[in-house]
Every structure is written in structure tokens, then in C-alpha cells.
Amino acid sequence: MTAALTLNIVAPTPDFSGVEFATSADGMPVARIDDLVLAMVTSHSGFAFLASAVAVRRPLAELTRADFFGHDGRVANEAEFRMRVAETAGHKHDLAKLNRVQTRMSASTPWGGSQMAVVYAEGVVAHSTAGHGGFHLSSDRNAKVHPLLRKDTLWYEEDCEWAIVAISFPDLFTDCERSMAEKTIRNTWPDVWEKIHGCSLAEGESWAKDRRAFDQRHASDYVVTSAIFSDKNPGMTEVVAVVAGDRGAGDRKAWDNERRFLVPSDEYARRGRFGFVIDPDRHAEYHGPSSFLGWRSRGIGS
């Protein structure tokens, strides 16, 4: 029998117990959870992201940007940073209560030989290889995966398909992992999510669905595929655009479909997540000297 699949996961209440907050020596919000230290780093471009450090014993107030590495996603502000810290603390707390066993076992996976395995439970094993990894389910476990998400093979890769395993066997995962899995299902397989859940995803709730709507809405529009600050026109960004943003195979025929435009740099900086759409009433096609080396090499606009 297929287990009931619950996709509506309520975010847990933030728990800051066991978390130490402070401000670093160079003004960054920082937090310590056991041996893990997190920081809200602001890039030169002005956006903030989450960075981490492990086994740094010095007081938080003495730390600097040089102590941190990695890029664990953007954060909008300090409130979101604190929320991410709470999620991480909750994840570590939940993880300690699970009976995962790390081991080595001889196994051939779709991504190569297994180098390390984590046994989540009988019939649920995550394998890591030199280049990739994923879950292997037993036949009995796989039979319990929802039919709309179940694969014909017993392997579920680690980038997106891991989420299928997580929502199929929620007791083997932390609250944070289950929340991430539900989001991954919505973003990757929105049509399946809607069929299982019995309702439609609104705009902003699924990357894949929003991308599909964007592509349909702008199927006849020029969409920017590359951009560079114009060294000939201060304050402007020179862009290359193609109808529907489809560059084709990159051959001469594809070049013939490309057009150049000048767009105010501050306007281009506010582009949406799926690209910048050319407005022919405001963005005139550009035929002047190009800042793109590729265009110069074609002998166009040099």
C-alpha cells in the first residue's frame, strides 16, 4: 500500500536555545551553534549571503570575514539571517535524535562506485561517489513512494530526487530537511505537486511553473542572453538578446537571430529572475561600437 503523502509542512517555531549571537570585529552579524559558526556577509555588490566556519574557538566578537568560507544562499536582512540560524540549530538538534549510520560498503551506483554510505534505515541508504550521489531504496521501500513520484529504478539522485525520498519517509529526516524537500517538489515537479495536493500553485510558489509562464508570455519577445557595461556609453549596459532567449546551437544561424540593445544600467540591475525582456518602445536596437569581444571578432560594431 502506498503511504499517505503529506506535502503541507508547517514551518517549525524558531528555537534559539543553544545559539550564541554577536557582532563580529568587522560588523557582521554572527552566531555560534556548537562547533559551527555562521555569518551574514555582505558582498561588494551589496547583497548579503550566509557563510560558515567550523571549529573556530575564538570569541565571536573577534572574528572577521577571513574566518568564513562558503556561500550558503542569500539572506535579505538580519531577521532572515536569524531565521536561518534557528533552522540550522533545529536541524542539528533533530539530527542528533536520528539513527543514521555512516559506513563504507561495496556498491555500484549510477554515478560510480560508492565511496561512503549513510544508512538512514533498513532499505534507505544514501551513497556518495567521486562526482555525485543519491539514495538507494529497497523494492519494498520504493513501493511506498507515491506513484506519481516513484521511479522505475531504485535510485534517486541527490540534487532533486532526494526530496522524493524525504517526503515519502518523513520520520527519517529533520524538520528542516522535510521543509526543503517540500519546496524542492514544488519547484521541480509543480504539476505532480498540484495533482497530489489537489490545488494550484500561485505565482511565486514554484520556480518551474513560473519559468514556464515566463517563457510562454515572452515567446515572441527579445530576451537578454548576455550583457556588459558599455565602455562607449556611460551609464548604459550593452546587451545581446534573442527571441525567447533561445540562442540555438551557437552557430552562424544563431548569430543571425541575435540583436544588440542599450539599456540603462540601473534598469538592467532590476531584472527579474528569469531574465531581462526588451521593450521595443523604450530600448532601441544598437548598431554602434561594441564592448563585446565576441562581436568585435565578427567584425560587427568594432
Side-chain angles (χ1 to χ4, degrees), residues 209-274:
K209 186 174 181 179
D210 290 350
R211 175 79 218 205
R212 188 166 59 208
F214 176 90
D215 290 342
Q216 292 173 348
R217 189 163 57 248
H218 299 292
S220 301
D221 296 328
Y222 276 94
V223 180
V224 172
T225 56
S226 56
I228 188 172
F229 287 120
S230 176
D231 55 10
K232 310 294 183 182
N233 302 273
M236 304 296 285
T237 294
E238 181 184 351
V239 303
V240 175
V242 182
V243 172
D246 183 7
R247 296 182 68 94
D251 54 16
R252 186 75 201 190
K253 184 177 180 181
W255 289 0
D256 292 340
N257 293 325
E258 294 179 333
R259 299 290 184 269
R260 288 185 301 144
F261 300 85
L262 284 180
V263 177
S265 295
D266 59 348
E267 181 183 354
Y268 186 74
R270 299 192 300 270
R271 62 193 177 277
R273 58 177 172 163
F274 300 125

Side-chain angles (χ1 to χ4, degrees), residues 13-296:
T13 302
D15 182 3
F16 294 110
S17 59
V19 179
E20 176 189 359
F21 286 99
T23 300
S24 70
D26 47 3
M28 298 183 302
V30 291
R32 175 176 277 123
I33 311 166
D34 299 327
D35 62 346
L36 175 67
V37 183
L38 300 174
M40 176 179 159
V41 178
T42 301
S43 71
H44 294 300
S45 302
F47 67 84
F49 62 91
L50 196 67
S52 58
V54 179
V56 177
R57 305 300 182 190
R58 305 198 318 277
L60 292 178
E62 295 181 4
L63 303 184
T64 67
R65 173 69 182 92
D67 291 300
F68 296 89
F69 58 88
H71 189 317
D72 299 315
R74 294 192 183 190
V75 289
N77 47 43
E78 189 168 350
E80 185 175 342
F81 167 72
R82 294 176 70 90
M83 185 63 68
R84 291 285 298 275
V85 170
E87 290 175 352
T88 303
H91 171 68
K92 289 173 69 69
H93 181 264
D94 289 348
L95 201 58
K97 295 185 293 185
L98 297 175
N99 296 316
R100 297 179 186 175
V101 178
Q102 183 171 294
T103 184
R104 293 184 183 272
M105 61 177 65
S106 178
S108 177
T109 81
W111 314 285
S114 176
Q115 295 184 340
M116 184 63 66
V118 178
V119 180
Y120 282 58
E122 183 177 355
V124 182
V125 182
H127 290 274
S128 299
T129 72
H132 203 53
F135 280 92
H136 180 264
L137 300 183
S138 66
S139 296
D140 289 343
R141 288 283 191 176
N142 201 44
K144 295 179 181 179
V145 175
H146 194 284
L148 292 177
L149 291 169
R150 185 188 306 140
K151 297 183 65 181
D152 293 333
T153 74
L154 302 177
W155 295 95
Y156 293 79
E157 59 84 30
E158 65 184 8
D159 287 342
C160 295
E161 293 172 356
W162 74 273
I164 298 174
V165 178
I167 65 171
S168 299
F169 308 102
D171 57 313
L172 304 182
F173 293 81
T174 68
D175 282 344
C176 182
E177 289 170 334
R178 291 195 294 268
S179 179
M180 290 173 57
E182 196 271 344
K183 183 178 180 180
T184 299
I185 297 294
R186 284 190 284 111
N187 282 328
T188 311
W189 300 285
D191 297 338
V192 172
W193 189 98
E194 290 178 338
K195 288 180 181 178
I196 293 174
H197 206 59
C199 65
S200 295
L201 290 163
E203 184 177 354
E205 292 184 329
S206 169
W207 186 95
K209 186 174 181 179
D210 290 350
R211 175 79 218 205
R212 188 166 59 208
F214 176 90
D215 290 342
Q216 292 173 348
R217 189 163 57 248
H218 299 292
S220 301
D221 296 328
Y222 276 94
V223 180
V224 172
T225 56
S226 56
I228 188 172
F229 287 120
S230 176
D231 55 10
K232 310 294 183 182
N233 302 273
M236 304 296 285
T237 294
E238 181 184 351
V239 303
V240 175
V242 182
V243 172
D246 183 7
R247 296 182 68 94
D251 54 16
R252 186 75 201 190
K253 184 177 180 181
W255 289 0
D256 292 340
N257 293 325
E258 294 179 333
R259 299 290 184 269
R260 288 185 301 144
F261 300 85
L262 284 180
V263 177
S265 295
D266 59 348
E267 181 183 354
Y268 186 74
R270 299 192 300 270
R271 62 193 177 277
R273 58 177 172 163
F274 300 125
F276 188 90
V277 180
I278 294 297
D279 181 348
D281 294 330
R282 297 190 302 108
H283 307 128
E285 189 171 349
Y286 178 60
H287 300 284
S290 180
S291 298
F292 286 105
L293 291 176
W295 278 81
R296 295 175 187 174

